[in-house]
Amino acid sequence: MNQKVNNQEILKPILIWGLIAIILAFLIYDRHKDTGTFNWMTPLWADQAGYYVYLPAFFIYDFNADKFPEGIDEKTGEGFSFDRETNKVITRYSNGVALLQSPFFLVIHIYAAISGQPQDGFSGIYHQVPNLAALFYAITGLFFLWHFLRKYYKCHVTATTILILFLGTNLFYYTIDSTGMSHIYSFALFAAIARVTQIMLSVTKEKQWVFVFAWSLLFALIVLVRPTNVMFFPFLFTLELNSPADLINRIRTFANVRNILILMVSFLIVFAPQFLYWKYLSGSYIHYSYGEYGFTNLTSPKILQLWFSPNNGMFLYNPIYLVVIAAMVIKLTNKKSSLNDYIIPVTFLALTYVFSAWFIFSFGCGYGSRNFVEYNVMFAIPMAYFIKRIGKMNNRSRVSLSLIIIFMVFFNIRLLVLYNRCYQGGDWDFKEYTSYFYVPEKYHDKVKIGKEERILTSDIEFSKSLHLVPEEISLTRFKKALVKLDVVLHNTDSDALLVLSIENQDSVVYWNSIRLIEHVPENKLNTKQRIRGEFWLPERIPENSKMATYVWNLKKEALEIHTLKITLE
């Protein structure tokens, strides 16, 4: 009987974590299934490519710029570049994310060889490297966060806290969408080191050095992935401390020669590849790779913008963080509050100052203030305390607060679904921000393509067009056009374009295109693929303008067009 109970205790968490992994895998797959390869919607674009480039550079191209595919820096959004005079590969980002992605890169690299796909590090299936890595590190982070919180709170409080923070903050976005960014990797490391810290504080001195070494390696990797992550240290060092006297004792316990040596050796091991890259790049083992970019707003930090700007403001995109702040304050009112309870809000304020002092407070395209994603591990402590307090309130207060939290979570999910990956308005453009919440007016149309019109050959330059004329629809009411095209491509070097144009009388008001091959994985050639083109329309479109969408077969190559639809919204 005991054996059966033990087996059930082992099997139950395996099934639960397996189910979570399946759900996250489906969400990641669904988000990226139609993004293609070389375009701004892929996980190997811009910053994400800058993190990733170390892998093909090391495993395939020997950091030799001339060996890389021609134009690959432009095809991946210029997240990295080449110095053609010195033949060097240049990226401003540290190699921490690449180190964490490397096992998944090698698996994909081997699979590409087995399946006969190009082993070039960028095309086709290589775009799954960040997706696989993000899935693994999301599960890893949630797993360690669960065990970290379980030491202090019961199962239902821990589960509720994690669910709220995952679905109610941009942690969800950087797990599912921008899988190549550093934040989900930092989150996993933060959760892991928090759990290791707990264990390190509870074991005997004879065993402690092993956990000190593991802790040191994790912390070095945390700093390598994102240097500002060093600000997580005060939270870790004051964990489970109740008074300044306890802090002095902890310093005496851990600030000894052995532990300092372990920490130094760990940093040297973890940072060695980065030092070698900087030496290769600049001739010096220490190098500031961000050039003119830096903390230029130290004397005038953009704190209000960081918190409340429509341009990725923390609280406007993730209002659940307001509850986290309230939880921090409430926990401080507890008579049993610890030293760590004071460190959490102090760290939050310090992070606010540092992030708002960066030369661009929004940190470019993203969702919310993305720098706080990994700090959800720290925020989980006051949040769990608040959830526990809610459970002890009277029915009216409990229901009211629960509804507010549920609303905030669904607010975040709704905005995340509607958000277009990059805010387009000004720093205080609330009109642009509030437009995300409107149910857009939509107009649908499609063109019938007969069997004889589907195949484009060497004597056909343009496909059948889908026309919208003023008599049918006024274009001035819409902001965006979504064009869906079912196409069969046969050539990897296809230059066929999906075009959207707007004309007024004899002038062209707007013309834009996407290259079809950039949205078709190489292993999907010769099969019908759905391509989605997204075109943002100009703000001012003259009345009586006409719109047309079609395929421009530049090289007059052989290809097939099956469906052409448009949605205006």
Short mmCIF file of all heavy atoms in Angstrom, two decimals, residues 36-38 42 44-45 48-50 52-57 60-61 67-69 72-73 75-76 80 82 89 105 108-109 118-129 522:
data_model
loop_
_atom_site.label_atom_id
_atom_site.label_comp_id
_atom_site.label_asym_id
_atom_site.label_seq_id
_atom_site.Cartn_x
_atom_site.Cartn_y
_atom_site.Cartn_z
N GLY A 36 7.38 32.21 -40.49
CA GLY A 36 8.38 32.06 -41.55
C GLY A 36 9.79 32.15 -41.01
O GLY A 36 10.08 31.70 -39.90
N THR A 37 10.69 32.74 -41.79
CA THR A 37 12.10 32.78 -41.39
C THR A 37 12.64 34.20 -41.29
O THR A 37 12.71 34.76 -40.21
CB THR A 37 12.94 31.94 -42.37
OG1 THR A 37 12.62 32.33 -43.72
CG2 THR A 37 12.66 30.46 -42.21
N PHE A 38 12.98 34.82 -42.38
CA PHE A 38 13.71 36.10 -42.32
C PHE A 38 12.76 37.29 -42.37
O PHE A 38 12.61 37.96 -43.39
CB PHE A 38 14.72 36.16 -43.46
CG PHE A 38 15.75 35.08 -43.40
CD1 PHE A 38 15.81 34.11 -44.38
CD2 PHE A 38 16.65 35.00 -42.34
CE1 PHE A 38 16.75 33.10 -44.31
CE2 PHE A 38 17.59 34.00 -42.26
CZ PHE A 38 17.64 33.04 -43.26
N THR A 42 10.00 36.81 -36.48
CA THR A 42 10.68 35.58 -36.09
C THR A 42 11.49 35.76 -34.82
O THR A 42 11.84 36.88 -34.44
CB THR A 42 11.63 35.11 -37.21
OG1 THR A 42 12.75 36.00 -37.28
CG2 THR A 42 10.93 35.08 -38.56
N LEU A 44 14.55 35.07 -34.47
CA LEU A 44 15.94 35.36 -34.83
C LEU A 44 15.98 36.70 -35.56
O LEU A 44 16.45 36.80 -36.70
CB LEU A 44 16.53 34.25 -35.71
CG LEU A 44 16.74 32.89 -35.06
CD1 LEU A 44 17.42 31.93 -36.03
CD2 LEU A 44 17.55 33.01 -33.78
N TRP A 45 15.51 37.73 -34.90
CA TRP A 45 15.42 39.05 -35.52
C TRP A 45 15.93 40.11 -34.54
O TRP A 45 15.66 40.07 -33.35
CB TRP A 45 13.97 39.35 -35.90
CG TRP A 45 13.78 40.66 -36.60
CD1 TRP A 45 13.37 41.84 -36.06
CD2 TRP A 45 13.99 40.93 -38.00
NE1 TRP A 45 13.31 42.83 -37.02
CE2 TRP A 45 13.68 42.29 -38.23
CE3 TRP A 45 14.41 40.16 -39.07
CZ2 TRP A 45 13.79 42.89 -39.48
CZ3 TRP A 45 14.50 40.75 -40.33
CH2 TRP A 45 14.19 42.10 -40.52
N GLN A 48 17.37 39.64 -30.75
CA GLN A 48 17.38 38.19 -30.57
C GLN A 48 18.46 37.53 -31.43
O GLN A 48 19.11 36.58 -31.00
CB GLN A 48 16.00 37.62 -30.90
CG GLN A 48 14.91 38.18 -29.99
CD GLN A 48 13.51 37.75 -30.41
OE1 GLN A 48 12.99 36.76 -29.92
NE2 GLN A 48 12.90 38.51 -31.30
N ALA A 49 18.65 38.05 -32.63
CA ALA A 49 19.73 37.54 -33.49
C ALA A 49 21.09 37.91 -32.93
O ALA A 49 22.06 37.16 -33.08
CB ALA A 49 19.56 38.10 -34.91
N GLY A 50 21.17 39.08 -32.28
CA GLY A 50 22.42 39.51 -31.67
C GLY A 50 22.86 38.60 -30.54
O GLY A 50 24.06 38.34 -30.35
N TYR A 52 21.97 35.39 -30.37
CA TYR A 52 22.09 34.04 -30.96
C TYR A 52 23.34 33.86 -31.81
O TYR A 52 23.86 32.74 -31.93
CB TYR A 52 20.84 33.79 -31.79
CG TYR A 52 20.86 32.56 -32.66
CD1 TYR A 52 20.52 31.31 -32.15
CD2 TYR A 52 21.20 32.65 -34.02
CE1 TYR A 52 20.53 30.18 -32.97
CE2 TYR A 52 21.20 31.53 -34.84
CZ TYR A 52 20.87 30.30 -34.30
OH TYR A 52 20.88 29.19 -35.12
N VAL A 53 23.86 34.92 -32.41
CA VAL A 53 24.86 34.80 -33.47
C VAL A 53 26.13 34.09 -33.01
O VAL A 53 26.87 33.52 -33.82
CB VAL A 53 25.20 36.20 -34.04
CG1 VAL A 53 26.02 37.02 -33.04
CG2 VAL A 53 25.94 36.07 -35.38
N TYR A 54 26.41 34.09 -31.71
CA TYR A 54 27.58 33.36 -31.21
C TYR A 54 27.56 31.88 -31.63
O TYR A 54 28.62 31.29 -31.86
CB TYR A 54 27.63 33.42 -29.68
CG TYR A 54 28.00 34.75 -29.10
CD1 TYR A 54 27.02 35.62 -28.63
CD2 TYR A 54 29.33 35.14 -28.97
CE1 TYR A 54 27.35 36.85 -28.06
CE2 TYR A 54 29.67 36.37 -28.42
CZ TYR A 54 28.68 37.22 -27.96
OH TYR A 54 29.02 38.42 -27.41
N LEU A 55 26.37 31.29 -31.70
CA LEU A 55 26.27 29.86 -31.94
C LEU A 55 26.70 29.47 -33.36
O LEU A 55 27.60 28.65 -33.53
CB LEU A 55 24.85 29.38 -31.62
CG LEU A 55 24.46 29.55 -30.15
CD1 LEU A 55 22.98 29.25 -29.93
CD2 LEU A 55 25.31 28.66 -29.26
N PRO A 56 26.09 30.04 -34.41
CA PRO A 56 26.60 29.72 -35.75
C PRO A 56 28.03 30.21 -35.94
O PRO A 56 28.82 29.58 -36.66
CB PRO A 56 25.63 30.43 -36.69
CG PRO A 56 24.93 31.45 -35.86
CD PRO A 56 24.88 30.89 -34.47
N ALA A 57 28.40 31.33 -35.31
CA ALA A 57 29.77 31.84 -35.45
C ALA A 57 30.78 30.84 -34.90
O ALA A 57 31.84 30.63 -35.50
CB ALA A 57 29.90 33.18 -34.72
N ILE A 60 29.90 26.83 -36.66
CA ILE A 60 29.88 26.66 -38.13
C ILE A 60 30.91 27.52 -38.84
O ILE A 60 31.62 27.03 -39.72
CB ILE A 60 28.47 26.98 -38.68
CG1 ILE A 60 27.41 26.09 -38.02
CG2 ILE A 60 28.43 26.81 -40.20
CD1 ILE A 60 25.98 26.44 -38.42
N TYR A 61 31.04 28.79 -38.47
CA TYR A 61 31.80 29.73 -39.28
C TYR A 61 33.12 30.20 -38.68
O TYR A 61 33.78 31.07 -39.26
CB TYR A 61 30.92 30.96 -39.59
CG TYR A 61 29.64 30.59 -40.31
CD1 TYR A 61 28.40 30.73 -39.68
CD2 TYR A 61 29.67 30.08 -41.60
CE1 TYR A 61 27.22 30.38 -40.32
CE2 TYR A 61 28.50 29.73 -42.26
CZ TYR A 61 27.27 29.87 -41.61
OH TYR A 61 26.12 29.52 -42.26
N LYS A 67 32.67 33.85 -44.13
CA LYS A 67 32.04 32.54 -44.31
C LYS A 67 30.53 32.57 -44.12
O LYS A 67 29.83 31.63 -44.51
CB LYS A 67 32.66 31.52 -43.35
CG LYS A 67 34.12 31.19 -43.63
CD LYS A 67 34.63 30.14 -42.65
CE LYS A 67 36.09 29.77 -42.92
NZ LYS A 67 36.58 28.73 -41.97
N PHE A 68 30.02 33.62 -43.51
CA PHE A 68 28.59 33.71 -43.25
C PHE A 68 27.81 33.86 -44.56
O PHE A 68 28.34 34.38 -45.55
CB PHE A 68 28.28 34.91 -42.35
CG PHE A 68 28.42 34.64 -40.88
CD1 PHE A 68 29.67 34.47 -40.31
CD2 PHE A 68 27.30 34.54 -40.07
CE1 PHE A 68 29.81 34.22 -38.95
CE2 PHE A 68 27.42 34.30 -38.71
CZ PHE A 68 28.67 34.13 -38.15
N PRO A 69 26.55 33.42 -44.58
CA PRO A 69 25.72 33.62 -45.78
C PRO A 69 25.64 35.10 -46.14
O PRO A 69 25.56 35.96 -45.25
CB PRO A 69 24.35 33.07 -45.35
CG PRO A 69 24.65 32.10 -44.25
CD PRO A 69 25.84 32.67 -43.53
N ILE A 72 23.23 38.04 -44.43
CA ILE A 72 22.49 37.44 -43.31
C ILE A 72 22.27 38.44 -42.18
O ILE A 72 21.29 38.34 -41.44
CB ILE A 72 23.22 36.17 -42.80
CG1 ILE A 72 22.27 35.35 -41.92
CG2 ILE A 72 24.48 36.54 -42.04
CD1 ILE A 72 21.07 34.81 -42.62
N ASP A 73 23.15 39.42 -42.04
CA ASP A 73 22.95 40.43 -41.00
C ASP A 73 21.70 41.26 -41.29
O ASP A 73 20.93 41.56 -40.37
CB ASP A 73 24.19 41.33 -40.88
CG ASP A 73 24.67 41.87 -42.21
OD1 ASP A 73 24.32 41.28 -43.26
OD2 ASP A 73 25.40 42.88 -42.22
N LYS A 75 19.16 40.24 -43.23
CA LYS A 75 18.01 39.34 -43.23
C LYS A 75 17.52 39.04 -41.82
O LYS A 75 16.38 38.62 -41.65
CB LYS A 75 18.38 38.03 -43.93
CG LYS A 75 18.55 38.14 -45.43
CD LYS A 75 18.89 36.79 -46.04
CE LYS A 75 19.06 36.86 -47.54
NZ LYS A 75 19.40 35.54 -48.12
N THR A 76 18.36 39.23 -40.82
CA THR A 76 17.97 38.96 -39.43
C THR A 76 17.82 40.25 -38.62
O THR A 76 17.93 40.25 -37.40
CB THR A 76 18.99 38.04 -38.75
OG1 THR A 76 20.31 38.58 -38.92
CG2 THR A 76 18.95 36.65 -39.35
N PHE A 80 23.29 41.96 -35.37
CA PHE A 80 24.75 41.86 -35.37
C PHE A 80 25.24 42.40 -36.69
O PHE A 80 24.45 42.71 -37.59
CB PHE A 80 25.21 40.41 -35.17
CG PHE A 80 24.69 39.45 -36.22
CD1 PHE A 80 25.40 39.22 -37.39
CD2 PHE A 80 23.48 38.79 -36.05
CE1 PHE A 80 24.93 38.35 -38.36
CE2 PHE A 80 22.99 37.92 -37.02
CZ PHE A 80 23.72 37.70 -38.17
N PHE A 82 29.04 42.86 -39.45
CA PHE A 82 30.36 42.35 -39.83
C PHE A 82 31.31 43.51 -40.11
O PHE A 82 30.91 44.52 -40.71
CB PHE A 82 30.28 41.47 -41.09
CG PHE A 82 29.35 40.30 -40.95
CD1 PHE A 82 28.24 40.17 -41.78
CD2 PHE A 82 29.58 39.32 -40.00
CE1 PHE A 82 27.39 39.09 -41.67
CE2 PHE A 82 28.73 38.23 -39.87
CZ PHE A 82 27.63 38.11 -40.71
N VAL A 89 33.04 39.24 -36.65
CA VAL A 89 31.62 39.22 -36.35
C VAL A 89 31.38 40.10 -35.13
O VAL A 89 31.99 39.88 -34.08
CB VAL A 89 31.13 37.79 -36.06
CG1 VAL A 89 29.62 37.78 -35.81
CG2 VAL A 89 31.49 36.84 -37.20
N PHE A 105 20.65 24.32 -29.91
CA PHE A 105 21.26 24.57 -31.21
C PHE A 105 21.89 23.29 -31.74
O PHE A 105 21.73 22.95 -32.93
CB PHE A 105 22.32 25.67 -31.10
CG PHE A 105 23.06 25.93 -32.38
CD1 PHE A 105 22.57 26.82 -33.32
CD2 PHE A 105 24.26 25.27 -32.65
CE1 PHE A 105 23.25 27.06 -34.51
CE2 PHE A 105 24.94 25.49 -33.84
CZ PHE A 105 24.44 26.39 -34.78
N ILE A 108 19.24 20.82 -32.95
CA ILE A 108 18.70 21.25 -34.23
C ILE A 108 19.73 21.08 -35.34
O ILE A 108 19.40 20.67 -36.47
CB ILE A 108 18.24 22.73 -34.15
CG1 ILE A 108 17.03 22.87 -33.23
CG2 ILE A 108 17.94 23.29 -35.53
CD1 ILE A 108 15.77 22.19 -33.72
N HIS A 109 20.98 21.37 -35.04
CA HIS A 109 22.05 21.24 -36.03
C HIS A 109 22.19 19.79 -36.49
O HIS A 109 22.34 19.52 -37.69
CB HIS A 109 23.36 21.73 -35.42
CG HIS A 109 24.45 21.99 -36.42
ND1 HIS A 109 24.28 22.82 -37.52
CD2 HIS A 109 25.73 21.52 -36.50
CE1 HIS A 109 25.41 22.86 -38.22
NE2 HIS A 109 26.30 22.07 -37.62
N PRO A 118 19.74 22.49 -44.91
CA PRO A 118 21.00 23.25 -44.86
C PRO A 118 21.46 23.45 -43.41
O PRO A 118 20.67 23.83 -42.55
CB PRO A 118 20.62 24.59 -45.50
CG PRO A 118 19.41 24.32 -46.31
CD PRO A 118 18.67 23.24 -45.60
N GLN A 119 22.74 23.21 -43.16
CA GLN A 119 23.32 23.42 -41.83
C GLN A 119 24.00 24.78 -41.78
O GLN A 119 25.19 24.88 -41.51
CB GLN A 119 24.31 22.30 -41.50
CG GLN A 119 23.67 20.95 -41.21
CD GLN A 119 24.68 19.94 -40.75
OE1 GLN A 119 25.51 19.46 -41.53
NE2 GLN A 119 24.63 19.60 -39.46
N ASP A 120 23.21 25.82 -42.01
CA ASP A 120 23.78 27.17 -42.09
C ASP A 120 23.53 28.00 -40.83
O ASP A 120 23.99 29.13 -40.72
CB ASP A 120 23.24 27.91 -43.31
CG ASP A 120 21.72 28.07 -43.29
OD1 ASP A 120 21.10 27.70 -42.26
OD2 ASP A 120 21.16 28.56 -44.27
N GLY A 121 22.79 27.45 -39.86
CA GLY A 121 22.59 28.14 -38.60
C GLY A 121 21.50 29.19 -38.59
O GLY A 121 21.19 29.74 -37.53
N PHE A 122 20.89 29.48 -39.74
CA PHE A 122 19.91 30.56 -39.80
C PHE A 122 18.61 30.18 -40.50
O PHE A 122 17.56 30.70 -40.14
CB PHE A 122 20.52 31.77 -40.51
CG PHE A 122 21.62 32.45 -39.75
CD1 PHE A 122 22.95 32.17 -40.04
CD2 PHE A 122 21.33 33.34 -38.74
CE1 PHE A 122 23.97 32.78 -39.34
CE2 PHE A 122 22.34 33.96 -38.02
CZ PHE A 122 23.67 33.68 -38.32
N SER A 123 18.64 29.34 -41.47
CA SER A 123 17.45 29.08 -42.27
C SER A 123 16.58 28.01 -41.64
O SER A 123 17.00 27.27 -40.75
CB SER A 123 17.85 28.64 -43.69
OG SER A 123 18.59 27.43 -43.65
N GLY A 124 15.34 27.95 -42.11
CA GLY A 124 14.44 26.87 -41.77
C GLY A 124 14.33 26.58 -40.29
O GLY A 124 13.95 27.42 -39.46
N ILE A 125 14.70 25.36 -39.93
CA ILE A 125 14.46 24.83 -38.59
C ILE A 125 15.28 25.51 -37.51
O ILE A 125 14.96 25.41 -36.32
CB ILE A 125 14.71 23.31 -38.59
CG1 ILE A 125 14.05 22.68 -37.35
CG2 ILE A 125 16.19 23.01 -38.68
CD1 ILE A 125 14.00 21.19 -37.40
N TYR A 126 16.33 26.22 -37.85
CA TYR A 126 17.13 26.91 -36.83
C TYR A 126 16.34 27.98 -36.09
O TYR A 126 16.71 28.38 -34.99
CB TYR A 126 18.38 27.53 -37.47
CG TYR A 126 19.42 26.49 -37.82
CD1 TYR A 126 19.50 25.96 -39.11
CD2 TYR A 126 20.33 26.03 -36.87
CE1 TYR A 126 20.44 25.00 -39.44
CE2 TYR A 126 21.28 25.08 -37.19
CZ TYR A 126 21.33 24.56 -38.48
OH TYR A 126 22.26 23.61 -38.79
N HIS A 127 15.24 28.43 -36.69
CA HIS A 127 14.40 29.41 -36.02
C HIS A 127 13.65 28.80 -34.83
O HIS A 127 13.02 29.52 -34.06
CB HIS A 127 13.42 30.03 -37.01
CG HIS A 127 14.08 30.98 -37.96
ND1 HIS A 127 13.92 32.34 -37.88
CD2 HIS A 127 14.91 30.77 -39.00
CE1 HIS A 127 14.63 32.93 -38.83
NE2 HIS A 127 15.23 31.99 -39.52
N GLN A 128 13.73 27.47 -34.70
CA GLN A 128 13.11 26.81 -33.56
C GLN A 128 14.03 26.75 -32.34
O GLN A 128 13.60 26.38 -31.25
CB GLN A 128 12.68 25.39 -33.94
CG GLN A 128 11.65 25.32 -35.05
CD GLN A 128 10.41 26.15 -34.74
OE1 GLN A 128 9.92 26.16 -33.61
NE2 GLN A 128 9.90 26.84 -35.75
N VAL A 129 15.30 27.11 -32.51
CA VAL A 129 16.24 27.05 -31.38
C VAL A 129 15.76 27.92 -30.21
O VAL A 129 15.64 27.44 -29.08
CB VAL A 129 17.66 27.45 -31.82
CG1 VAL A 129 18.57 27.60 -30.61
CG2 VAL A 129 18.23 26.41 -32.78
N GLU A 522 12.43 26.48 -45.66
CA GLU A 522 12.98 25.77 -46.81
C GLU A 522 12.44 24.36 -46.94
O GLU A 522 12.33 23.82 -48.04
CB GLU A 522 14.50 25.75 -46.72
CG GLU A 522 15.13 27.13 -46.95
CD GLU A 522 16.64 27.06 -47.02
OE1 GLU A 522 17.19 25.96 -47.16
OE2 GLU A 522 17.27 28.12 -46.92
#
